[in-house]
């Protein structure tokens, strides 16, 4: 399902990945993805809907609907593409499996950037085989300017050894950590599900094509 960019065919490609339940995808995800793609001059940024997220409750709508909505959302966004590999697996969506699978398709020089919010990054030590993640990708931590959190003890050594001062200093295919500062739009899928469940409008919080899909398929009308 992922489309390839031929922007720099003879060079290493720069590929970002943003996983999520996308239940539904919204403008917070999309703006953030576009801003990161521009800041890092990515060839593509893959949105990867997760099948059975290991860290949270089951999504409210089917994988098929979530995939359809993400596909509609990125239809005209050149650099944003959908990657449905986690929905093809009949297993929990562990990032390490996704990264290994992606790496199997890329050339050794291609650069992979795993986008993680600060909260997700802090939870890394509970992830499956988390210490192997950096063998396959760089980690780009999306940090809010107003955040004043400290990294957990388990990550301090890793940060000391692997972090670089700015995203532009990330070199090679994998292995380093950088922070990118973004002011996220105050939108969440939880908020959108709640609006729709109570019969309110979600217009301008999701792309119009996604909203049309939600209405056409009667999604999120029940309890949140
Ligand atoms: P929910 O409200 O159901 O928890 P969500 O809106 O947080 O959903 P997810 O699918 O869980 O959406 O998010 C996927 C990724 O997008 C996560 O890394 C999350 O941190 C990030 N993200 C979510 N909302 C925003 C936002 N408003 N701006 C930037 N990034 C966001």
């Amino acid at each position: 399902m992922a489309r390839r960019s031929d922007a720099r065919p003879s060079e290493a490609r720069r590929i970002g990945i943003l996983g999520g339940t996308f239940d539904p995808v919204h403008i917070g995800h999309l703006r953030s993805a576009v801003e990161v793609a521009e800041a890092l001059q990515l060839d593509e940024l893959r949105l990867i809907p997760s099948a059975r997220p290991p860290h949270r409750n089951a999504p409210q709508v089917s994988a098929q609907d979530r995939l359809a909505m993400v596909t509609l959302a990125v239809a005209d966004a050149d650099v944003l593409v959908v990657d449905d590999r986690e929905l093809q697996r009949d297993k929990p969506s562990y990032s390490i499996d996704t990264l290994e699978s992606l790496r199997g398709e890329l050339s050794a020089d291609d650069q992979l950037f795993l986008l993680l919010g600060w909260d997700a990054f802090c939870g890394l030590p509970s992830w499956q085989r988390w210490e192997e993640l950096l063998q396959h990708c760089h980690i780009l931590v999306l940090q809010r300017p107003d955040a004043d959190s400290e990294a957990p003890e388990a990550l301090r050594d890793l940060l000391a050894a692997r972090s670089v001062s700015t995203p532009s200093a990330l070199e090679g295919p994998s292995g380093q950590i950088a922070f990118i500062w973004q002011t996220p739009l105050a939108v969440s899928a939880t908020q959108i599900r709640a609006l729709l469940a109570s019969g309110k409008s979600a217009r301008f919080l999701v792309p119009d094509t996604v909203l049309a899909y939600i209405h056409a398929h009667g999604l999120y009308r029940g309890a949140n």
Side-chain angles (χ1 to χ4, degrees), residues 18-24 26-29 32 56 115-117 120 142 144 182 184-191 193:
L18 175 65
T21 41
F22 303 120
D23 184 23
H26 54 69
I27 58 164
H29 302 130
S32 178
R56 49 178 290 159
L115 277 55
L116 291 179
L142 308 178
R144 297 165 180 249
Q182 276 192 329
L185 295 172
V187 181
S188 71
T190 303
Q191 172 201 8
R193 291 194 300 273

Side-chain angles (χ1 to χ4, degrees), residues 6 17 42 45 67 80 86 90 102 121 155 198 201 206 211:
D6 296 323
I17 57 181
L42 299 181
L45 195 157
L67 175 63
L80 306 187
E86 293 195 358
D90 186 28
L102 272 164
F121 178 69
L155 289 174
S198 61
S201 172
V206 299
L211 196 59

Side-chain angles (χ1 to χ4, degrees), residues 88-212:
Q88 310 293 349
R89 279 204 302 257
D90 186 28
K91 289 201 300 181
S93 310
Y94 291 120
S95 296
I96 188 68
D97 299 326
T98 302
L99 288 166
E100 286 178 344
S101 155
L102 272 164
R103 268 290 163 212
E105 295 171 7
L106 301 174
S107 72
D109 291 342
D110 287 341
Q111 295 181 287
L112 259 186
F113 304 90
L114 174 65
L115 277 55
L116 291 179
W118 170 253
D119 291 351
F121 178 69
C122 288
L124 215 57
S126 69
W127 291 22
Q128 189 91 343
R129 294 161 57 202
W130 70 278
E131 280 150 315
E132 296 171 41
L133 294 171
L134 285 173
Q135 292 173 17
H136 304 289
C137 63
H138 296 299
I139 292 179
L140 192 63
V141 184
L142 308 178
Q143 183 62 289
R144 297 165 180 249
D146 58 351
D148 61 348
S149 2
E150 236 181 80
E153 186 71 41
L155 289 174
R156 295 218 185 111
D157 288 349
L158 184 77
L159 277 169
R162 302 297 191 100
S163 59
V164 296
S165 55
T166 70
S168 58
L170 292 168
E171 279 182 355
S174 60
Q176 296 172 315
I177 302 169
F179 288 76
I180 185 162
W181 300 84
Q182 276 192 329
T183 303
L185 295 172
V187 181
S188 71
T190 303
Q191 172 201 8
I192 291 165
R193 291 194 300 273
L195 287 172
L196 293 167
S198 61
K200 298 209 174 95
S201 172
R203 185 107 203 263
F204 306 125
L205 296 177
V206 299
D208 284 347
T209 49
V210 172
L211 196 59

